[in-house]
Amino acid sequence: MTFNTQGRIFRFTSWGESHGPAIGCVVDGTPPGIALAEPDIQRWLDRRRPGQSRHVTQRREPDTVEILSGTFEGHTTGTPVSLLIRNQDARSKDYGEIRDRFRPGHADFTYLRKYGRRDYRGGGRASARETACRVAAGAIARKVLGRRVRIRGAMVQMGEHAVDRSKWDWKAVEKNPFWCPDADAAEAWTDYLDTVRSAGSSVGAVIEVVASGVRAGLGAPVYGKLDSDLAAAMMGINAVKGVEIGAGFGAAVLTGEENADEMRMRGGKPVFLSNNAGGILGGISTGQDIVLRFAVKPTSSILAPRRTVTVDGRDTEISTRGRHDPCVGIRAVPVGEAMMACVLADHLLHHRAQCG
Amino acid sequence: MTFNTQGRIFRFTSWGESHGPAIGCVVDGTPPGIALAEPDIQRWLDRRRPGQSRHVTQRREPDTVEILSGTFEGHTTGTPVSLLIRNQDARSKDYGEIRDRFRPGHADFTYLRKYGRRDYRGGGRASARETACRVAAGAIARKVLGRRVRIRGAMVQMGEHAVDRSKWDWKAVEKNPFWCPDADAAEAWTDYLDTVRSAGSSVGAVIEVVASGVRAGLGAPVYGKLDSDLAAAMMGINAVKGVEIGAGFGAAVLTGEENADEMRMRGGKPVFLSNNAGGILGGISTGQDIVLRFAVKPTSSILAPRRTVTVDGRDTEISTRGRHDPCVGIRAVPVGEAMMACVLADHLLHHRAQCG
Amino acid sequence: MTFNTQGRIFRFTSWGESHGPAIGCVVDGTPPGIALAEPDIQRWLDRRRPGQSRHVTQRREPDTVEILSGTFEGHTTGTPVSLLIRNQDARSKDYGEIRDRFRPGHADFTYLRKYGRRDYRGGGRASARETACRVAAGAIARKVLGRRVRIRGAMVQMGEHAVDRSKWDWKAVEKNPFWCPDADAAEAWTDYLDTVRSAGSSVGAVIEVVASGVRAGLGAPVYGKLDSDLAAAMMGINAVKGVEIGAGFGAAVLTGEENADEMRMRGGKPVFLSNNAGGILGGISTGQDIVLRFAVKPTSSILAPRRTVTVDGRDTEISTRGRHDPCVGIRAVPVGEAMMACVLADHLLHHRAQCG
Amino acid sequence: MTFNTQGRIFRFTSWGESHGPAIGCVVDGTPPGIALAEPDIQRWLDRRRPGQSRHVTQRREPDTVEILSGTFEGHTTGTPVSLLIRNQDARSKDYGEIRDRFRPGHADFTYLRKYGRRDYRGGGRASARETACRVAAGAIARKVLGRRVRIRGAMVQMGEHAVDRSKWDWKAVEKNPFWCPDADAAEAWTDYLDTVRSAGSSVGAVIEVVASGVRAGLGAPVYGKLDSDLAAAMMGINAVKGVEIGAGFGAAVLTGEENADEMRMRGGKPVFLSNNAGGILGGISTGQDIVLRFAVKPTSSILAPRRTVTVDGRDTEISTRGRHDPCVGIRAVPVGEAMMACVLADHLLHHRAQCG
């Protein structure tokens, strides 16, 4: 079973709770000889780190990564890379009230039902903190994929406010706190999210992740489809409730003529004239950009009191004070990129195994 | 690697191409002592079988299943159950034209890029025929889950035409060829699909699958999340381009107050007052109905000529004659149910392993 | 879980009981483009087939293999290869007496304890018949490994009678019914085994399998050691009770000076001056011959009456009439070769995945 | 792939090199609610710790384990348990000479061939230090198995000197530095090993591990046989070259009458009258003691100069000074016990999954 493990050949196993001493992961299957040092991972962790703008949780975590194994003289050796990130700002005193009450929309109830006990000091394994491990593993996956592959994420919708795709500018993404590719939308979102935050509320989002430079042929026809693995990877990110590839749910309203991407020879090479497929046909990459989107639900930790029950079966209410995200989707952008990188690296190695 | 295998403990490995002598699968991990004979599987295969109405492919396949192992005196023994379904109506002469041209929207191009060769007589492993194996495995999974768990699928949107959810009637589903839960919509769809079909076109669809009676506690917090596995299972069905759980993409436009399902004690038991979570919180089942939807793209095999290229690099056109589905989503309904059953059975056994 | 599956990337799943309609396996992960037709597999099955001399079971099984998928125009396509072998000579009437009594040394008791039921008509999955699937999968594995790798097995001990290693001749192996590399020993064994057989008794054996031409670098340092996987593969063959690599148990009585294989440069290449390691150091192949041995217990199905108990708890006796092997080790030779081939093919593909 | 992971449901992934900052492992699949704190693990680590007698390496490692995740209020939560053990006495200066020369009998050569680079400061992943992780994981496995199951190991042969089985006394095992069950043999071994050590030589050993109280029914018929998994687990321990179950290689010289364990009813229960099977029939536990032995080669790090070659292809010699074990088999005893515990715990959980 691989219940805390992601991937097959390039694979990582994560561990740790938000209120323990540390979190971390073990990345296995990395090819030897790849230049890898802590800054290669830290730069990606820094993008995900909380507390960087007023729009995300104010929990202060430096998220400093230590490499404990698997490298020698600045290169991977082919043995497992163990990564450690210490928890610093746990402040478990904040969480006293949630000890006995199930927070609506949280995993408190299901954890207790499954395991019969739970670490009531925070989200445990369900904490978004675990996603730091994904970002760290993703940093190594990017190294495995090489420079030719570029993976970028963007928030394309916050609440009801979608970007204008005609204004898409990848450069804009790095210039606003929302990873928004539409500079105008980003500005509007700033006010919008301030309102949401001051109301103690929260709002959902849609994230798009695009991988360019992926060679054709990655994936497998049936139960190891590239899109199937991507769907699992994205749906496994905290708070994600939907995933779509290429035209996605929009494909349902297309006709066959509209949907199927036609082909033509260009400069001696076959090219597709559109990309409704999102770069994947029959579970295998086409060589076009791989394009997916996922929906993130609004954080359930909100100020407004909500009806719930106690662990011992009484009706009550709860309102979550503390350092939470008005739009948890923001921090999901680097996580989605990382998961894309991990899935692609795994398929790259598997393709090499079977097809040379 | 598990590239033709679905599941961990309750798992099946499928094999076979549309134009070979047979297809089949090996179902492993089945608990011993379950009453199982061929009719238990055949009844579900019959629901998926092509040629049952003018709205689906007219390929004539009886899809008769044979159990070759794993049962004794009408019960499972705990050893692998091998299922065989012979191909009958392969008619490879129909497929001559596609030998040298990539069909847009099909896996022809990606298969050739990956493997360097392909069975040009049909879709090979990418054929929807493979889904018969999933339905067969799903029939056994239903037995593993027991009678308390009920899994039902319905088509909720055909092209642009969605059902009216206020008219939802599960009984209607079995009474029209579309598995449509809204009898009025079904009637309208009949004319609509006739038009699509006579135009040689095709159209997409959205399918909803609901599992009732699933106990709380199935799933796992991180990379073996129940929703993650369901997303992979549904995205792995042919032509599926999107998957969502509960409120799904709709959750992106909700606030935290609207989205998080509140709780109250009812008859001494905690109940949820809504089900935006789709029955899953933190990757673990809540005990509510598990509700998911997936989007199916329109069949790419259409009569209208489409631009494409040949295997040896010349621009050309193709129009697919033959026995194809104007709305391949129809036959995806029993497949989605089956995949839901397989994932739940697998998680049920795993939960029993870890938590007793 | 992989309880009926062998391997990771090159992997096969077997199914079937000795008294069902057929047995078979699904071989997954095969690289595309390998020339493969039924005779390529049949030739290896024919070597294992029962009834070829008076020294093995007289059960008459042609063991004719059918390829049901995964090849096209005489080559593998990269999709799963499904192999089917029909049972012909089941004669379940022979097995009436064993319905209610546990045969000492057989799996009857443990199957019933595990599953609560069992197919009492024969050995079920524990039947040596299952090993035909291993030989069939092994035939494909040999193709994956290519001609440079040569895998040969020999019986080096029958009962107390070991071969004289100074007389080792691989050509002799194919010329006697025991796969014995020492022609003189083979002659002596003929009389010996006739005596054992006429007495209704049985005797154990030791088999040696050698793989030549295996490149250095296959394997992994810790839990996927090449020797670890080989040990599992051999111990998983019916009736095997011990496995050793290189000097094996003999290494226990050596000193460090005697055991460690020294190295010298020869023709510009490093060579080992001995092979106590059996071609594996630290779980990774050295490039020398991979040498292992396994011990096969005597068949438990013997004529002499043995004390046992009935399913419903009464003391009784049993003597097994029927068509059994006086030295089941004989038929284990091709099976050991096949398992060696499967493990090496799997590691070859994995090495290519990680190290290019 | 599971190249640094052991097990299926109860599984652990180890990481770390002998000369890095730490080693550790992540134990996944542990049932929730098991009392677990650091001393529960430390007591087993202390038994394996080097430097406890003059007969083992004098490397000083306190091997203090830290639990970083997976427990709360002294009990397992069902989430992954991350264990960390810091390296203290790395002294890499000792290892300068081995930078450029392959040590005969070590994995230096194969690592370099596989990965193209290696951590020349020590054994890397091949270091016996890694086995501390196994012992730690084994401590948790023992908790999973419960008190009814008792796993004990003993050294039954050192070099050519075997114990006298008629003098077997489990109490003696804890009273001598060799885990020897024969007090007289232990005394003789003391002098013997002093001689070996002063000569700068080393010697092999045979270890026996016995598990009592294991219920019948654990295991699986074909590729997940309990004996197959045990063989892999033991062969995966550093320096192990052979594994046998029950009568093992001795079964080769037995007749069917001698080998098959007869049965009788005793106090209303079926019992076996002998245990040549070593507690496993058809890959499934019988309820008798599970008995296995494994052979450990002599340490290759010896004082006597040995012929070898340099990394850049010149003939040379090497003699290993430093803190090595004259009989590395001694420290393998707790490791063998731990691996037995891990395999049994994994099968216990899997049995519960499939058979309830």
Side-chain angles (χ1 to χ4, degrees):
Chain A
M1 308 300 300
T2 55
F3 276 165
N4 289 282
T5 300
Q6 161 70 31
R8 296 180 177 92
I9 297 183
F10 179 86
R11 65 203 320 254
F12 66 97
T13 301
S14 90
W15 56 267
E17 283 87 26
S18 58
H19 286 69
I23 60 172
C25 64
V26 183
V27 182
D28 201 0
T30 305
I34 295 177
L36 182 72
E38 279 145 359
D40 297 316
I41 302 171
Q42 194 62 50
R43 58 180 284 221
W44 298 105
L45 279 171
D46 289 348
R47 296 178 77 224
R48 192 209 70 104
R49 203 177 57 211
Q52 301 194 95
S53 83
R54 69 179 180 278
H55 304 293
V56 294
T57 175
Q58 295 305 301
R59 180 170 173 159
R60 296 283 168 190
E61 287 289 358
D63 278 353
T64 307
V65 69
E66 297 170 57
I67 298 178
L68 296 181
S69 68
T71 62
F72 181 59
E73 297 182 340
H75 291 78
T76 58
T77 56
T79 62
V81 180
S82 179
L83 303 175
L84 185 83
I85 300 169
R86 288 171 202 287
N87 291 328
Q88 308 234 341
D89 187 16
R91 282 204 235 175
S92 47
K93 61 185 176 303
D94 283 352
Y95 292 87
E97 189 186 33
I98 61 175
R99 174 171 179 159
D100 302 319
R101 304 176 191 188
F102 300 119
R103 291 169 297 168
H106 276 278
D108 304 339
F109 175 74
T110 53
Y111 268 50
L112 196 60
R113 277 301 175 95
K114 182 174 190 73
Y115 298 117
R117 68 179 55 227
R118 72 183 177 92
D119 182 343
Y120 50 73
R121 295 168 305 170
R125 289 292 283 162
S127 165
R129 207 157 158 57
E130 188 273 339
T131 60
C133 297
R134 302 176 189 230
V135 172
I140 300 179
R142 287 180 196 258
K143 289 269 187 170
V144 173
L145 291 168
R147 287 169 183 277
R148 216 174 65 95
V149 175
R150 189 169 189 185
I151 296 167
R152 293 180 291 190
M155 184 180 287
V156 296
Q157 188 176 325
M158 179 188 284
E160 293 181 341
H161 308 286
V163 299
D164 178 348
R165 284 182 168 266
S166 70
K167 297 185 184 165
W168 191 291
D169 176 10
W170 278 113
K171 291 199 203 79
V173 165
E174 302 283 337
K175 292 180 185 153
N176 62 71
F178 312 115
W179 318 104
C180 178
D182 166 356
D184 295 344
E187 206 158 327
W189 291 0
T190 306
D191 294 340
Y192 172 59
L193 199 57
D194 278 341
T195 315
V196 169
R197 185 166 47 85
S198 358
S201 184
S202 64
V203 71
V206 177
I207 313 299
E208 182 163 318
V209 184
V210 179
S212 307
V214 178
R215 52 161 294 175
L218 304 192
V222 185
Y223 302 108
K225 282 188 157 102
L226 183 56
D227 34 359
S228 181
D229 281 0
L230 286 169
M234 301 303 154
M235 193 66 96
I237 299 172
N238 308 45
V240 172
K241 300 302 285 184
V243 186
E244 59 182 16
I245 312 274
F249 276 87
V253 302
L254 298 178
T255 63
E257 292 87 337
E258 293 162 339
N259 179 70
D261 305 309
E262 294 181 292
M263 301 183 79
R264 273 292 173 256
M265 298 302 295
R266 292 279 185 269
K269 291 191 174 167
V271 299
F272 293 91
L273 307 182
S274 54
N275 191 12
N276 286 314
I280 301 174
L281 282 172
I284 299 172
S285 63
T286 62
Q288 286 196 287
D289 281 2
I290 294 174
V291 182
L292 62 79
R293 278 171 302 283
F294 58 88
V296 183
K297 71 178 186 183
T299 323
S300 304
S301 301
I302 50 177
L303 203 59
R306 310 298 295 153
R307 289 173 290 175
T308 190
V309 302
T310 61
V311 171
D312 51 3
R314 285 175 301 102
D315 284 353
T316 184
E317 291 196 337
I318 193 167
S319 77
T320 313
R321 279 169 203 83
R323 305 150 303 166
H324 297 287
D325 292 85
C327 179
V328 76
I330 297 172
R331 290 206 290 140
V333 176
V335 182
E337 290 177 5
M339 294 306 278
M340 171 79 91
C342 290
V343 170
L344 291 177
D346 190 26
H347 275 276
L348 178 68
L349 299 188
H350 183 266
H351 180 73
R352 195 158 73 175
Q354 190 182 12
C355 300
Chain B
M1 309 302 297
T2 56
F3 276 166
N4 289 281
T5 299
Q6 161 70 32
R8 295 180 178 93
I9 298 184
F10 179 86
R11 65 202 321 253
F12 67 96
T13 301
S14 91
W15 55 268
E17 283 86 27
S18 59
H19 286 68
I23 60 172
C25 64
V26 183
V27 183
D28 202 359
T30 305
I34 295 177
L36 182 73
E38 280 145 357
D40 296 317
I41 302 170
Q42 194 62 51
R43 58 179 284 222
W44 298 104
L45 280 172
D46 289 348
R47 295 178 78 224
R48 192 209 70 104
R49 204 176 57 210
Q52 301 194 97
S53 83
R54 68 179 181 278
H55 304 293
V56 294
T57 175
Q58 296 304 301
R59 180 170 172 160
R60 297 284 169 189
E61 288 289 358
D63 278 353
T64 307
V65 69
E66 296 169 58
I67 298 179
L68 296 182
S69 69
T71 62
F72 182 59
E73 298 182 339
H75 291 78
T76 57
T77 57
T79 63
V81 180
S82 177
L83 302 175
L84 185 83
I85 300 170
R86 288 171 202 287
N87 291 327
Q88 308 234 341
D89 187 16
R91 283 204 234 175
S92 48
K93 61 186 175 306
D94 282 352
Y95 291 87
E97 190 186 31
I98 61 176
R99 174 170 178 161
D100 303 318
R101 303 178 191 187
F102 301 119
R103 291 169 296 169
H106 276 278
D108 304 339
F109 176 74
T110 52
Y111 269 50
L112 196 61
R113 277 300 177 94
K114 182 175 189 72
Y115 298 117
R117 65 179 58 225
R118 71 183 178 94
D119 182 343
Y120 50 72
R121 295 170 303 171
R125 288 292 284 162
S127 166
R129 206 156 159 57
E130 189 273 339
T131 60
C133 297
R134 303 175 188 230
V135 172
I140 300 179
R142 288 180 195 259
K143 288 270 187 168
V144 173
L145 290 167
R147 287 169 183 278
R148 215 174 67 94
V149 175
R150 189 169 188 186
I151 296 167
R152 292 181 291 190
M155 184 180 286
V156 296
Q157 187 176 327
M158 179 188 284
E160 293 182 340
H161 308 286
V163 299
D164 179 347
R165 286 185 166 263
S166 70
K167 297 184 184 166
W168 192 293
D169 177 11
W170 278 114
K171 290 197 203 82
V173 165
E174 301 283 337
K175 292 180 185 154
N176 63 69
F178 311 114
W179 317 106
C180 178
D182 167 356
D184 295 343
E187 206 158 329
W189 291 1
T190 306
D191 294 339
Y192 172 60
L193 200 58
D194 278 341
T195 314
V196 168
R197 184 166 46 85
S198 359
S201 184
S202 64
V203 73
V206 178
I207 313 299
E208 182 164 319
V209 183
V210 179
S212 308
V214 178
R215 50 163 296 175
L218 304 192
V222 186
Y223 303 108
K225 282 187 156 101
L226 184 55
D227 34 359
S228 181
D229 281 0
L230 286 170
M234 299 303 154
M235 194 65 97
I237 299 173
N238 309 47
V240 171
K241 300 302 287 184
V243 186
E244 60 181 16
I245 311 273
F249 275 87
V253 302
L254 298 178
T255 63
E257 292 86 336
E258 293 161 339
N259 179 68
D261 306 308
E262 294 180 293
M263 301 183 77
R264 273 290 173 257
M265 298 303 295
R266 293 278 185 269
K269 291 190 174 168
V271 298
F272 293 91
L273 306 181
S274 53
N275 191 12
N276 286 315
I280 302 174
L281 282 172
I284 299 172
S285 63
T286 63
Q288 285 195 288
D289 281 2
I290 293 174
V291 182
L292 63 80
R293 277 172 302 285
F294 58 89
V296 183
K297 71 177 184 184
T299 323
S300 305
S301 301
I302 50 177
L303 203 58
R306 310 297 296 152
R307 287 174 290 174
T308 190
V309 301
T310 62
V311 171
D312 50 4
R314 285 176 301 103
D315 284 354
T316 184
E317 292 197 335
I318 193 166
S319 78
T320 314
R321 281 169 201 84
R323 304 151 305 166
H324 297 288
D325 293 84
C327 180
V328 76
I330 297 173
R331 289 206 290 142
V333 176
V335 181
E337 290 177 7
M339 294 306 279
M340 171 78 92
C342 290
V343 171
L344 291 176
D346 190 27
H347 275 276
L348 178 68
L349 298 189
H350 184 265
H351 180 73
R352 195 158 73 177
Q354 190 182 11
C355 300
Chain C
M1 308 304 297
T2 55
F3 276 166
N4 289 281
T5 299
Q6 161 71 29
R8 296 180 176 92
I9 298 183
F10 178 87
R11 65 203 320 255
F12 67 96
T13 301
S14 90
W15 55 268
E17 283 87 27
S18 59
H19 287 69
I23 60 173
C25 65
V26 183
V27 183
D28 202 359
T30 305
I34 294 177
L36 183 71
E38 280 145 357
D40 296 318
I41 302 171
Q42 193 63 51
R43 57 179 284 222
W44 299 105
L45 280 171
D46 289 348
R47 295 178 78 224
R48 192 210 68 104
R49 204 176 60 211
Q52 301 193 96
S53 82
R54 69 180 182 276
H55 303 293
V56 294
T57 175
Q58 296 304 300
R59 180 169 172 160
R60 297 282 168 191
E61 288 289 359
D63 278 354
T64 307
V65 69
E66 296 170 58
I67 298 178
L68 295 182
S69 70
T71 63
F72 182 58
E73 299 181 338
H75 291 77
T76 57
T77 57
T79 63
V81 181
S82 177
L83 302 175
L84 185 84
I85 300 170
R86 286 171 204 288
N87 291 328
Q88 307 233 343
D89 186 17
R91 283 205 234 174
S92 48
K93 60 184 179 303
D94 284 351
Y95 293 87
E97 189 186 31
I98 62 177
R99 176 171 179 159
D100 303 318
R101 304 178 190 186
F102 300 120
R103 291 171 296 168
H106 276 277
D108 304 339
F109 176 74
T110 53
Y111 269 49
L112 196 62
R113 278 299 176 95
K114 181 173 191 71
Y115 298 117
R117 68 178 56 227
R118 71 182 178 95
D119 182 344
Y120 49 73
R121 293 170 304 172
R125 290 291 283 162
S127 165
R129 202 150 165 60
E130 190 273 339
T131 60
C133 297
R134 303 175 187 229
V135 171
I140 300 179
R142 287 179 195 259
K143 289 269 188 170
V144 173
L145 291 168
R147 287 170 182 276
R148 216 173 67 94
V149 175
R150 188 169 190 186
I151 297 168
R152 292 181 290 190
M155 183 180 287
V156 296
Q157 188 177 328
M158 179 188 284
E160 293 182 340
H161 307 286
V163 298
D164 178 346
R165 283 180 170 267
S166 71
K167 297 184 185 166
W168 191 293
D169 177 11
W170 279 113
K171 290 197 204 82
V173 165
E174 302 284 335
K175 291 181 186 152
N176 63 69
F178 311 114
W179 318 105
C180 178
D182 167 356
D184 295 344
E187 205 158 329
W189 291 0
T190 306
D191 294 339
Y192 171 60
L193 199 58
D194 278 341
T195 314
V196 169
R197 185 166 46 85
S198 359
S201 184
S202 64
V203 72
V206 178
I207 313 299
E208 182 163 319
V209 183
V210 179
S212 307
V214 178
R215 51 163 294 175
L218 304 192
V222 185
Y223 302 109
K225 282 187 157 99
L226 183 55
D227 35 358
S228 181
D229 281 0
L230 286 170
M234 300 302 154
M235 194 65 97
I237 299 173
N238 307 48
V240 172
K241 299 303 287 183
V243 186
E244 60 181 14
I245 311 273
F249 276 87
V253 302
L254 298 179
T255 63
E257 292 87 336
E258 293 161 338
N259 178 69
D261 305 308
E262 293 180 291
M263 302 183 77
R264 272 290 172 257
M265 297 303 294
R266 293 275 185 272
K269 291 190 173 167
V271 299
F272 294 92
L273 306 181
S274 53
N275 191 12
N276 285 316
I280 302 173
L281 282 171
I284 299 173
S285 62
T286 62
Q288 285 196 288
D289 281 2
I290 295 174
V291 182
L292 63 79
R293 278 171 302 284
F294 57 88
V296 183
K297 70 178 185 182
T299 324
S300 304
S301 300
I302 49 176
L303 203 60
R306 310 299 295 153
R307 288 173 290 175
T308 189
V309 301
T310 63
V311 171
D312 51 3
R314 286 175 300 104
D315 284 353
T316 183
E317 291 196 339
I318 192 166
S319 77
T320 313
R321 281 169 202 82
R323 302 152 305 166
H324 296 288
D325 292 83
C327 179
V328 77
I330 297 172
R331 292 206 290 141
V333 176
V335 181
E337 291 177 6
M339 295 306 279
M340 170 78 92
C342 290
V343 170
L344 290 177
D346 190 27
H347 276 275
L348 178 69
L349 299 188
H350 184 266
H351 180 73
R352 196 158 73 175
Q354 190 182 12
C355 301
Chain D
M1 307 305 297
T2 54
F3 277 167
N4 290 282
T5 300
Q6 160 71 30
R8 296 181 177 91
I9 297 183
F10 178 88
R11 66 203 319 256
F12 66 97
T13 301
S14 90
W15 56 268
E17 283 86 27
S18 58
H19 286 69
I23 59 172
C25 64
V26 184
V27 183
D28 201 359
T30 304
I34 294 178
L36 183 72
E38 280 145 358
D40 296 317
I41 302 170
Q42 194 62 51
R43 58 179 283 221
W44 299 105
L45 280 171
D46 289 349
R47 294 178 78 223
R48 190 209 71 101
R49 204 176 58 213
Q52 301 192 97
S53 82
R54 69 180 181 276
H55 304 294
V56 295
T57 175
Q58 295 305 302
R59 181 169 171 159
R60 296 281 167 193
E61 287 290 358
D63 277 353
T64 307
V65 69
E66 296 170 58
I67 298 178
L68 296 181
S69 69
T71 61
F72 182 58
E73 299 182 339
H75 291 77
T76 58
T77 58
T79 63
V81 180
S82 178
L83 302 176
L84 185 83
I85 300 170
R86 287 171 204 286
N87 291 328
Q88 308 234 343
D89 187 17
R91 280 203 236 174
S92 47
K93 60 185 178 302
D94 283 351
Y95 292 88
E97 189 186 32
I98 61 176
R99 177 172 178 159
D100 302 319
R101 304 179 191 185
F102 301 120
R103 291 169 296 167
H106 276 279
D108 304 339
F109 176 74
T110 53
Y111 268 50
L112 196 61
R113 278 298 177 96
K114 182 174 191 71
Y115 297 117
R117 68 179 55 228
R118 69 183 179 92
D119 183 343
Y120 50 71
R121 294 170 303 172
R125 290 292 282 161
S127 165
R129 199 146 169 64
E130 189 274 340
T131 60
C133 297
R134 303 176 188 229
V135 172
I140 300 179
R142 288 179 195 259
K143 289 268 187 170
V144 173
L145 290 168
R147 287 170 183 277
R148 216 174 65 95
V149 175
R150 188 169 191 186
I151 296 167
R152 293 181 289 190
M155 183 180 289
V156 296
Q157 187 176 327
M158 178 186 286
E160 293 184 340
H161 307 285
V163 298
D164 178 346
R165 286 182 168 267
S166 70
K167 297 184 183 165
W168 191 292
D169 176 11
W170 279 113
K171 289 197 206 82
V173 165
E174 302 283 336
K175 291 180 187 154
N176 62 70
F178 311 114
W179 318 106
C180 178
D182 166 356
D184 296 343
E187 204 157 330
W189 291 1
T190 306
D191 295 340
Y192 172 59
L193 200 57
D194 279 341
T195 315
V196 168
R197 185 166 46 85
S198 0
S201 184
S202 65
V203 71
V206 178
I207 313 299
E208 182 163 318
V209 183
V210 179
S212 308
V214 178
R215 51 162 295 176
L218 303 192
V222 186
Y223 303 109
K225 283 188 156 100
L226 183 55
D227 33 1
S228 181
D229 281 0
L230 286 170
M234 300 303 154
M235 194 66 96
I237 299 172
N238 308 45
V240 172
K241 300 302 285 184
V243 186
E244 59 180 16
I245 311 273
F249 275 87
V253 303
L254 298 179
T255 63
E257 292 88 335
E258 292 161 340
N259 179 69
D261 304 309
E262 295 181 291
M263 302 183 77
R264 275 289 174 259
M265 298 303 294
R266 294 277 184 273
K269 291 191 174 166
V271 298
F272 293 91
L273 306 182
S274 54
N275 190 12
N276 286 315
I280 302 174
L281 282 172
I284 299 172
S285 63
T286 62
Q288 285 195 288
D289 281 2
I290 294 175
V291 182
L292 63 79
R293 277 172 301 284
F294 57 89
V296 183
K297 71 177 185 184
T299 323
S300 304
S301 301
I302 49 177
L303 203 59
R306 310 299 296 153
R307 287 174 291 173
T308 188
V309 301
T310 62
V311 171
D312 49 4
R314 285 177 301 103
D315 284 353
T316 184
E317 291 196 336
I318 193 166
S319 77
T320 314
R321 280 170 201 83
R323 303 152 304 165
H324 297 287
D325 292 85
C327 179
V328 77
I330 297 173
R331 290 205 291 140
V333 176
V335 182
E337 289 177 6
M339 294 306 279
M340 170 78 92
C342 290
V343 171
L344 291 176
D346 190 28
H347 275 275
L348 178 68
L349 299 188
H350 184 265
H351 180 73
R352 197 157 73 175
Q354 188 182 12
C355 301

